[in-house]
Amino acid sequence: MQDSFLSHDVIALTGITARQLQWWDERGVVKPQRQGHRRLYSIENLTEIAVICELRRKGFSLQGVRKVMRYLERELGKGLAEIVGRNSDVHLLTDGKHLYLETSAKQIVDILKNSSQPILGVCLSDAVRQVRAEVVARKASTSVIASAERRRARRVS
């Protein structure tokens, strides 16, 4: 996989707007590396952005997203990208007051059965798989185009 991504790559891969990405950087929601005045995003940053976008699409406020990220780091001692980067499905469930991070279907059903209020569930792993598949597809199409251009250049010279 690609080591770093520029802002326009992140925008193309996640569907986030340029202004939103800039605002998240200014607020410290996502912390990219800097190269001069350019922001460079790692695959971990890209994973976090994809998950944050999914949570935002599901109606989480930015404060709610920050709460989720703090919860994951505090309770599990790992960042968002590391947790959802595993092969198993990771589901985030919330009733608006409590957060649950589950990988077991049985635990998810138990939470749903025992809840006295509606539960919102988000499969965090799906968002990660989708953006990583986009990265792989983009890399493959870029390498196909580059190799075709190299063949053309060899024929010309």
Side-chain angles (χ1 to χ4, degrees), residues 13-115:
L13 290 165
T14 63
I16 191 172
T17 66
R19 180 63 189 123
Q20 198 172 24
L21 187 59
Q22 180 184 8
W23 195 83
W24 288 2
D25 178 32
E26 291 168 357
R27 301 298 182 276
V29 176
V30 178
K31 297 173 182 126
Q33 297 294 315
R34 299 255 180 212
Q35 187 177 49
H37 60 277
R38 293 179 3 174
R39 296 184 302 251
L40 295 175
Y41 295 87
S42 66
I43 189 67
E44 290 79 17
N45 295 140
L46 186 63
T47 300
E48 288 182 356
I49 292 167
V51 169
I52 292 168
C53 287
E54 183 65 19
L55 292 173
R56 295 287 291 142
R57 276 191 285 277
K58 297 289 184 173
F60 278 73
S61 66
L62 193 54
Q63 291 78 14
V65 169
R66 285 183 176 160
K67 183 178 176 183
V68 168
M69 293 171 73
R70 281 193 312 268
Y71 166 79
L72 296 174
E73 288 188 24
R74 184 181 66 243
E75 296 298 317
L76 303 172
K78 299 174 182 169
L80 187 58
E82 188 177 351
I83 293 163
V84 297
R86 300 181 194 144
N87 290 331
S88 63
D89 284 338
V90 178
H91 297 270
L92 177 73
L93 298 114
T94 184
D95 59 7
K97 294 181 184 176
H98 303 94
L99 290 171
Y100 307 96
L101 190 68
E102 301 296 343
T103 57
S104 162
K106 182 182 180 317
Q107 291 171 325
I108 293 169
V109 170
D110 286 346
I111 290 169
L112 293 173
K113 279 183 183 177
N114 296 319
S115 177

